[in-house]
Amino acid sequence: MKKTITLLFTLLVGYAQAQTADSVTIRKIYNEALANGKSYNWLRYLTKQIGPRLSGSDGAQKAVDWTKQVMEKEGFDRVFLQDVMVPHWVRGAKEVAYIQNGKQKVSVPIAALGGSVATGPKGVEAGVIEVKSFPELRALGADKVKGKIVFYNRPMDPTKINTFEAYGGAVDQRANGATEAAKLGAVGAIVRSMTNVRDDNPHVGGMRYGTGVPLIPTAAISTNAADLLSKSLAENPNLTFYFKQNCETLPDAKSYNVVGEIKGSEKPDEIIVVGGHLDSWDLAEGAHDDGAGCVQSIEVLRIMKALGIKPKRTIRAVMFMNEENGLRGGVAYADLAKKNNEKHIAAVESDNGGFTPRGFGIVGTPDQRAKVMPWKPLLAPYGLLEIGAGGGGADIGPLAQLGTVLFGFKPDSQRYFDYHHTTVDTFETVSQRELELGAASMAALVYLLDQYGL
Ligand SMILES: [Zn+2]
């Protein structure tokens, strides 16, 4: 009995000492990120000097070359590229659109959705059918829809506290709206922008065509213009809408994931990934989406090096290519990991903006999640309070099939969709402090994952 008590006591003391040592290291991680951080200046370069970087574009290639250089300059053990073929969609000349209401013609801001076909040089003009959902559209039937432009106008639910939930509840209109409209003979689809704010910026994003359905052109319209169109339709159901867009899908292009690595000292074969996606929409500097996640990921490795933390396991910063319109980079990364028999124990993604850290969502078994729970007191002092089951990230998603535990970095979500996929997703909208706190949060989690495994 006495022996058992002594053993228990020894274990408890050991646990307390480990917690103290960890809390000291985590404090140092935050100090380094906040006093000597490099993520903000890196983000400035990526957004202001390189700018938009849709897959297949010159900007995307510049971002590949530059992030590779940055990681080489930081002296990581290994920096390498992974080849990946990506879709190459181009917008072409700026879109034109107007509401023709009797004799009154009102120009409105639209932007072709990524992957859409063009309208042809003359554009498309037709009467408009406004709907809020696919069931509502189907109930109208081909009689009412044929030859018309379908206008999807269901807003993101403003009562949802997590804006990603509101986005998830509305984005079907953008992704599948053209296909559902084309099934009933529509000639175009216009989609209310995915945002809670009333603004004049079309918020773009990806869409896909179903098979065996005519490919009709589709575009996002700003929320202010969507409100105007809806109001005008209520007054005059016979008005017409005109739009012209010049986008095109070119042959797939060669591109790359960019990977930087610090080799593990004890278990080099166990890999922990921290990453974001390097591509952005063509209209955006891609500061929050997802320049922030990329520079934060590089910063995680830099912080470890700067503090002389020699990880037991191999830590990789991965800049994934093509999250926005294909996910080819994420798929290629997991394929290669499988082919090379690599053991990825965990992957952390930052792709929810560079805002104030709130926590991490975990995709794993209840047992794996339970292993993370004792770390909560170490992370709570830094505002990381929301730690539990939740989303990982699109790019790391394909790793789940290899048994990798996924962690999605969760910053505050309130402003993300103010900027998402628009010209206003700029460097100026990112707070240096929030960005650095995010990088430190990711570094703290990666440090604990490396210390204790899963
Ligand atoms: Zn993103």
Side-chain angles (χ1 to χ4, degrees), residues 277 289-290 323-324 351 416 421:
H277 65 85
D289 188 15
D290 182 24
E323 189 273 345
E324 295 294 1
D351 185 19
Y416 186 66
H421 295 179

Side-chain angles (χ1 to χ4, degrees), residues 83 172 326 438:
D83 295 5
D172 61 324

Side-chain angles (χ1 to χ4, degrees), residues 115-438:
S116 175
V117 295
T119 52
K122 287 190 182 145
V124 169
E125 182 161 8
V128 178
I129 296 288
E130 176 179 344
V131 294
K132 292 238 162 50
S133 70
F134 296 149
E136 185 187 345
L137 177 72
R138 286 180 208 120
L140 288 169
D143 276 2
K144 296 235 168 63
V145 176
K146 196 169 188 306
K148 296 283 175 41
I149 291 169
V150 172
F151 167 39
Y152 292 100
N153 195 29
R154 185 171 85 256
M156 274 172 46
D157 181 350
T159 66
K160 295 264 191 255
I161 302 305
N162 182 332
T163 61
F164 285 89
E165 247 178 76
Y167 178 72
V171 77
D172 61 324
Q173 302 172 97
R174 189 189 80 203
N176 303 316
T179 295
E180 292 303 315
K183 281 180 189 168
L184 299 171
V187 294
I190 298 295
V191 185
R192 182 187 183 90
S193 285
M194 299 293 136
T195 179
N196 279 323
V197 291
R198 297 294 195 281
D199 67 11
D200 297 315
N201 305 310
H203 293 235
V204 298
M207 57 77 57
R208 53 185 169 266
Y209 290 114
T211 46
V213 180
L215 312 187
I216 62 169
T218 181
I221 187 168
S222 74
T223 47
N224 279 337
D227 288 346
L228 175 70
L229 178 56
S230 183
K231 187 168 158 268
S232 307
L233 274 169
E235 289 160 11
N236 175 15
N238 297 318
L239 64 73
T240 58
F241 190 86
Y242 171 86
F243 73 120
K244 182 164 104 116
Q245 55 191 37
N246 311 285
C247 41
E248 194 182 349
T249 300
L250 303 173
D252 282 1
K254 191 170 184 187
S255 191
Y256 307 91
N257 293 329
V258 190
V259 186
E261 178 181 285
I262 298 178
K263 202 132 205 91
S265 56
E266 290 175 25
K267 299 180 172 179
D269 295 341
E270 291 193 8
I271 299 166
I272 298 169
V273 161
V274 57
H277 65 85
L278 201 47
D279 61 312
S280 77
W281 278 104
D282 61 323
L283 298 177
E285 283 177 14
H288 284 289
D289 188 15
D290 182 24
C294 290
V295 297
Q296 285 172 327
S297 298
I298 303 174
E299 178 75 348
V300 169
L301 271 63
R302 188 200 70 78
I303 290 170
M304 295 190 108
K305 259 194 84 131
L307 296 178
I309 297 172
K310 299 225 179 323
K312 299 176 185 174
R313 298 167 166 91
T314 294
I315 316 290
R316 276 186 190 168
V318 183
M319 319 287 104
F320 293 96
M321 183 52 70
N322 188 227
E323 189 273 345
E324 295 294 1
N325 60 336
L327 207 69
R328 301 270 184 92
V331 170
Y333 186 90
D335 283 352
L336 267 174
K338 194 173 176 186
K339 201 177 121 202
N340 297 334
N341 248 325
E342 289 174 348
K343 186 177 176 193
H344 283 70
I345 66 159
V348 183
E349 179 154 6
S350 166
D351 185 19
N352 298 320
F355 301 100
T356 302
R358 297 276 189 244
F360 295 96
I362 311 171
V363 181
T365 64
D367 275 1
Q368 289 165 329
R369 286 205 303 274
K371 284 197 181 156
V372 176
M373 294 307 133
W375 306 341
K376 276 184 157 184
L378 291 164
L379 300 172
Y382 303 95
L384 296 166
L385 303 172
E386 298 172 22
I387 298 174
D395 298 289
I396 56 174
L399 282 170
Q401 60 186 341
L402 307 183
T404 308
V405 184
L406 312 181
F407 293 82
F409 170 56
K410 275 171 71 176
D412 182 87
S413 77
Q414 300 314 318
R415 285 167 289 150
Y416 186 66
F417 292 97
D418 295 7
Y419 313 124
H420 188 240
H421 295 179
T422 67
T423 51
V424 292
D425 179 9
T426 58
F427 176 70
E428 290 79 0
T429 65
V430 177
S431 143
Q432 176 170 359
R433 189 162 179 85
E434 291 179 328
L435 182 76
E436 290 173 350
L437 284 168

